[in-house]
Amino acid sequence: MGRYQKPVEGSWTEHYPELGTGPVSSEDSISPEFHELEREAIFKRAWLNVGRVEELPRNGSYFTKELVAANTSVIVVRDQSGEIRAFHNVCRHRGNKLVWTDFPNEETRGYCRQFTCKYHMWRYDLDGALSYVPQEGEFFDLDKNERGLVPVHCDVWAGFIFVNMSDAPSQSLEEYLGPMVLALGDYPFHEQSDRYAYRAEVGSNWKLFMDAFQEFYHAPYLHGRQTPPKFTQAAQAFGFEAPFYKLEGPHRVISTGGVRGEDQPDEMIKPIEKKLRSGLFGPWEHADLSIGDEQSVAGVNPGNAKPWGLDSYQIWPNFVILIWAGGWYLTYHYWPTSYNTHVFEASLYFVPPKNASERLAQELALVSFKEYGLQDANTLGATQTMLETRVITEYLLNDQEVLCRHLHKVTQDMVAAYTNELQGAKI
């Protein structure tokens, strides 16, 4: 499904009739039983983004990723030939976690020539082959060729590293991403190599936080104090709606407008923003990218919004890429840890600054994002606890919450299909 322009009359939602327009059940965000099905139906089958190639700068570089929702930990490594591989983070001897530093549940990264188990010193090459076993002669019928690390399907698109826990994924990564997402493949993500990251443990279901970032209906109200009173009052009186929404398979995109800070009236600009020439939408000076104007890249500003502010690509199930008009981007990840908790990760990527002024402009964008993010996160625990009372059991969603409607429908449909699959296997 997909389209590019809202018709003169009608709504976004009605042009995706499979979504319906009725209330949406909230059970998928509060049920422990649904969460367990979700882990099997979604997180053990989907392609999951776990990082970028810049995190593996040379042969031997590695990092680990704790995938609680898929009930595993993985090692992602650049081997001696430069290929990026992934393995389950478990020693083939007695099942000890292979790579960890001080605490086994914490992620780690570094450089090595081999992976060595802390317990009995079994060693593995970077391609996963078992290379050394102490006192090897004492084992019965040990064939090292059959005891290498258990591989995880791994592939790279546009510098983003994905893994898939399935024994045999039903789609290749490119088939899974589909034309809408693949259209971003020529965007120069690699040139924006300075990364700043935030991580938070959140007391809500992962989908509730995703919902917060895929509609702008809340913006004039929840973020009202972040803008001058005159602007806030006008926005609350007339509302705000993004100019473009699109759905394709399980993925979604929303775009919004944006006016450069220097083009706004003085009363709209905070003194610190004027001084550092930056703000929530990033530095006012356009980043020096090899493509020049990002809008010349297919997939960027697909709705041709004027003025354009950002695109938010929601890549199923839990990965988001936001491309900003100023020449920087950020990513979100929402990693479920239980039915009512998750880990939220945000990474902001900039072209390396050439001077102190550019670095300060980036810093203001960083702290502005963090403030807005905290405001969005502040509602989540309150939402979760009240939904769990089941005083209400469904959501009423308006037209510009179409991406929220889509997220919950895709989730519920996939869990239903998995449940039917299980029942069919029992017959």
Side-chain angles (χ1 to χ4, degrees):
M1 52 175 128
R3 68 196 159 81
Y4 283 88
Q5 288 187 340
K6 184 175 181 177
V8 176
E9 297 180 355
S11 72
W12 294 103
T13 308
E14 70 181 3
H15 289 272
Y16 298 107
E18 66 275 19
L19 296 182
T21 56
V24 173
S25 171
S26 58
E27 191 66 16
D28 65 1
S29 298
I30 60 177
S31 167
E33 294 77 17
F34 188 94
H35 172 69
E36 291 305 314
L37 291 170
E38 198 175 65
R39 293 173 67 175
E40 299 293 332
I42 297 171
F43 286 92
K44 289 187 178 182
R45 296 185 173 194
W47 284 96
L48 306 173
N49 174 252
V50 291
R52 279 198 54 80
V53 294
E54 290 87 358
E55 298 177 64
L56 304 173
R58 59 175 177 157
N59 297 350
S61 298
Y62 69 87
F63 62 83
T64 64
K65 192 69 185 175
E66 299 300 305
L67 300 177
V68 177
N71 195 34
T72 193
S73 170
V74 297
I75 307 165
V76 183
V77 60
R78 188 184 291 272
D79 70 16
Q80 294 294 5
S81 67
E83 181 179 352
I84 294 177
R85 300 174 179 266
F87 304 96
H88 287 281
N89 190 7
V90 59
C91 178
R92 293 296 302 275
H93 175 212
R94 294 259 293 276
N96 189 48
K97 177 169 276 189
L98 180 61
V99 180
W100 55 283
T101 306
D102 297 323
F103 301 98
N105 291 329
E106 291 186 357
E107 296 172 355
T108 187
R109 62 184 61 241
Y111 166 84
C112 68
R113 296 184 178 181
Q114 288 185 317
F115 297 116
T116 303
C117 182
K118 296 175 183 289
Y119 203 176
H120 297 97
M121 299 295 288
W122 282 36
R123 298 177 190 166
Y124 302 85
D125 291 335
L126 302 181
D127 63 2
L130 176 60
S131 60
Y132 174 71
V133 175
Q135 299 173 243
E136 181 179 342
E138 294 201 23
F139 285 85
F140 305 95
D141 301 320
L142 170 64
D143 183 348
K144 292 204 298 290
N145 293 326
E146 296 181 354
R147 295 290 172 176
L149 297 179
V150 179
V152 172
H153 293 280
C154 181
D155 203 352
V156 177
W157 165 77
F160 293 100
I161 304 169
F162 289 79
V163 297
N164 190 301
M165 299 299 117
S166 301
D167 292 335
S170 60
Q171 294 177 298
S172 69
L173 176 59
E174 288 199 354
E175 291 170 336
Y176 177 84
L177 294 175
M180 183 179 76
V181 177
L182 292 178
L184 293 173
D186 290 332
Y187 183 76
F189 295 106
H190 63 284
E191 295 181 28
Q192 296 152 89
S193 56
D194 274 14
R195 173 177 176 255
Y196 304 89
Y198 296 106
R199 181 183 186 276
E201 297 179 4
V202 182
S204 82
N205 185 273
W206 63 284
K207 294 182 292 297
L208 297 185
F209 208 169
M210 289 204 78
D211 284 342
F213 283 135
Q214 56 185 3
E215 50 87 5
F216 295 102
Y217 178 47
H218 71 277
Y221 316 104
L222 184 62
H223 304 305
R225 294 187 178 182
Q226 290 299 109
T227 54
K230 185 177 179 180
F231 175 79
T232 298
Q233 292 164 8
Q236 291 179 355
F238 299 103
F240 178 85
E241 181 178 350
F244 178 76
Y245 307 79
K246 184 184 178 184
L247 313 178
E248 182 182 271
H251 313 301
R252 305 169 297 282
V253 64
I254 179 173
S255 299
T256 188
V259 179
R260 288 169 59 93
E262 60 189 355
D263 295 330
Q264 297 181 28
D266 284 345
E267 64 269 20
M268 298 290 293
I269 306 173
K270 298 176 183 177
I272 188 66
E273 294 174 340
K274 185 179 296 186
K275 186 69 174 178
L276 297 185
R277 298 182 60 78
S278 183
L280 176 66
F281 276 58
W284 295 358
E285 312 303 333
H286 199 284
D288 184 17
L289 298 174
S290 60
I291 58 170
D293 184 356
E294 292 92 334
Q295 297 184 56
S296 65
V297 176
V300 175
N301 190 16
N304 196 29
K306 295 179 180 179
W308 169 60
L310 65 88
D311 297 326
S312 177
Y313 276 83
Q314 318 270 323
I315 300 173
W316 174 260
N318 67 327
F319 176 45
V320 178
I321 304 174
L322 284 88
I323 298 177
W324 297 74
W328 61 290
Y329 77 98
L330 64 82
T331 62
Y332 299 147
H333 294 84
Y334 309 81
W335 297 108
T337 51
S338 76
Y339 77 95
N340 61 2
T341 61
H342 72 278
V343 170
F344 170 66
E345 298 173 337
S347 297
L348 295 85
Y349 296 85
F350 297 93
V351 173
K354 297 187 290 292
N355 51 53
S357 295
E358 291 186 1
R359 177 65 187 89
L360 288 171
Q362 293 175 1
E363 187 66 23
L364 183 57
L366 289 167
V367 298
S368 298
F369 156 78
K370 185 176 182 181
E371 176 59 30
Y372 276 81
L374 286 171
Q375 292 173 16
D376 285 304
N378 185 53
T379 67
L380 298 176
T383 302
Q384 184 72 42
T385 55
M386 293 313 297
L387 286 177
E388 289 183 20
T389 68
R390 291 184 169 82
V391 171
I392 66 167
T393 59
E394 58 189 18
Y395 309 113
L396 290 175
L397 299 178
N398 68 22
D399 190 38
Q400 60 177 297
E401 294 170 303
V402 60
L403 270 63
C404 302
R405 185 182 295 276
H406 180 252
L407 169 64
H408 291 275
K409 178 170 175 53
V410 171
T411 302
Q412 293 167 17
D413 285 354
M414 287 195 174
V415 167
Y418 174 73
T419 303
N420 292 335
E421 181 182 317
L422 290 181
Q423 293 173 346
K426 294 177 181 178
I427 296 175

